[in-house]
């Protein structure tokens, strides 16, 4: 299960924060490692099924299956507090999507930049930031995760929606739990609940996500969930130099299910999509990059063109740098590996100030974060490089930026020659050697 996404309308290619097994995508989280290690062996999920906890989870799944209708307002919050390189980094992001569902496949989820609506026969997917929507038939028995592949991360961000749509893919059949450790009685908001503790172990990195879920003892429905991402963040900073080391206080996703409604009658208009005045119906979200699923597929191709706003004012056209080597660094203030790497990328500006080289940051924060981005760039002293703004993810989609930090190197003829997704521990040496070759027009290993 993942934290809620902002606008990521290209199949299941959101902007991710590549970090030991957990990724904050689009202004929040999915599974991509810092590098691409071999699959890590993990303990058997079957061997970690506490019988009492499994009984609570199974009872909850049965309760959801028996519902004719369901509705809630989910308060989804990500809290991050740490000291990185002697500076405090505090982030708190809250989203409150509203979800309505009626058997067998009518639903609507709104309140976030991505919206989904189905009347049982037709599925609508809408991107608020692009002012675009897709309409397609919804076949009987078709898995929602297949019909709405572009918004797959949105499904895995809402546990109840994931259950009701049949999209859960964990060993327990319940979102957030591959293993169940135990259960105890507790109180939550004056009600008796069953508190289940468990975890997910990311197969690529071995990082453990510790999960807790509060189930209403009477209805068996979810009341609250927590996902502790501490181990994933600490793994991302293992081996960092002293001036970039992290002391982590908290990296926690909290989900509260409020305004829960069950077996109530919803009007038919609840599940009818109404486009906004500026919305355009499209066959696929802009830009259509069906042939590009991995940014490394860009190597050897002309760099996707863009004109973007520069942090601090003005616009920048990538084409104006023809004849120079261009380095693009995709980053965000909520991405821990980005924070760690950005100062080293910024130093490349001075290193190559007398050379035909341009270093550009591509910031992927949402529009509402721009003041935060300005403060970050100033306080972190990473303003030697210019930063273009990509709040709608348009540039990121053109570059198939599944994970950040993402580095793209473009030669003097405008051809992409190198792509690296994830943290680079030695920017000066590793990137420097490649930039030197591109200046001379020499080939480099992709």
């Amino acid at each position: 299960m993942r934290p809620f996404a902002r606008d990521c309308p290209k199949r299941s290619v959101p902007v991710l924060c590549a970090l030991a097994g957990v990724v904050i995508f689009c202004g929040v989280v999915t599974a991509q490692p810092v590098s691409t290690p071999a699959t890590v062996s993990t303990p058997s999920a079957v061997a970690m099924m506490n019988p009492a906890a499994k009984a609570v989870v199974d009872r909850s799944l049965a309760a959801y299956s028996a519902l004719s209708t369901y509705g809630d307002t989910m308060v989804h919050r990500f809290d991050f507090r740490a000291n990185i390189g002697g500076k405090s980094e505090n982030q708190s992001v809250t989203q409150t999507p509203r979800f309505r569902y009626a058997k067998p496949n009518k639903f609507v989820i709104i309140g976030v930049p991505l919206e989904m609506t189905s009347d049982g026969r037709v599925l609508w997917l809408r991107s608020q930031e692009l002012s675009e929507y897709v309409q397609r038939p919804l076949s009987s028995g078709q898995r929602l995760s297949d019909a709405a592949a572009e918004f797959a991360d949105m499904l895995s961000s809402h546990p109840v929606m994931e259950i009701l749509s049949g999209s859960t893919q964990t060993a327990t059949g319940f979102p957030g739990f591959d293993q169940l450790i135990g259960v105890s009685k507790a109180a939550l908001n004056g009600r008796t609940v069953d508190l289940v503790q468990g975890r997910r172990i990311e197969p690529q990195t071995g990082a453990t996500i510790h999960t807790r879920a509060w189930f209403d003892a009477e209805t068996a429905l979810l009341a609250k969930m927590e996902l502790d991402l501490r181990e994933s963040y600490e793994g991302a900073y293992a081996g960092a130099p002293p001036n970039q080391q992290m002391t982590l206080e908290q990296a926690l996703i909290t989900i509260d299910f409020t305004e829960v409604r069950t077996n109530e009658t919803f009007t038919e208009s609840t599940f009818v999509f109404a486009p906004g005045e500026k919305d355009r119906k499209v066959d696929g979200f802009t830009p259509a990059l069906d042939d590009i699923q991995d940014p490394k597929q860009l190597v050897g191709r002309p760099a996707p063109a863009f004109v973007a706003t520069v942090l601090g004012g003005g616009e920048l056209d990538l084409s104006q740098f023809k004849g120079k080597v261009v380095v693009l660094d995709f980053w965000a203030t909520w991405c821990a590996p980005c924070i760690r790497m950005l100062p080293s990328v910024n130093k490349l500006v001075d290193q190559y100030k007398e050379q035909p080289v341009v270093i550009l940051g591509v910031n992927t924060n949402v529009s509402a974060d721009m003041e935060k981005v300005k403060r970050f760039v100033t306080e972190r002293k990473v303003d030697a490089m210019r930063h273009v703004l990509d709040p709608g993810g348009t540039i990121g989609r053109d570059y198939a930026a599944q994970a950040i930090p993402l580095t793209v190197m473009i030669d003097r003829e405008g051809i992409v020659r190198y792509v690296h997704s994830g943290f680079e521990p030695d920017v000066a040496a590793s990137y420097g050697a490649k930039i030197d070759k591109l200046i001379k027009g020499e080939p480099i290993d992709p």
Side-chain angles (χ1 to χ4, degrees), residues 375-411:
R375 289 195 304 271
F376 178 93
V377 168
T378 300
E379 292 173 0
R380 289 277 169 175
K381 299 179 180 179
V382 289
D383 52 359
M385 59 195 291
R386 280 178 285 182
H387 298 273
V388 299
L389 305 176
D390 188 30
T394 303
I395 302 173
R397 283 186 292 276
D398 273 345
Y399 283 83
Q402 294 112 321
I404 58 174
L406 172 70
T407 305
V408 178
M409 294 187 186
I410 304 167
D411 71 11

Side-chain angles (χ1 to χ4, degrees), residues 42-75:
T42 59
S44 168
V46 176
M48 298 296 292
M49 295 297 177
N50 177 275
K54 184 68 163 57
V56 172
V57 166
D58 287 346
R59 178 172 174 252
S60 182
L61 290 172
Y64 281 113
S65 179
L67 296 177
S68 60
T69 67
Y70 174 89
D72 70 26
T73 298
M74 187 179 75
V75 182

Side-chain angles (χ1 to χ4, degrees), residues 16-30:
L16 313 172
C17 180
L19 127 112
V22 176
V23 180
I24 295 189
F25 63 89
C26 290
V28 260
V29 174
T30 167

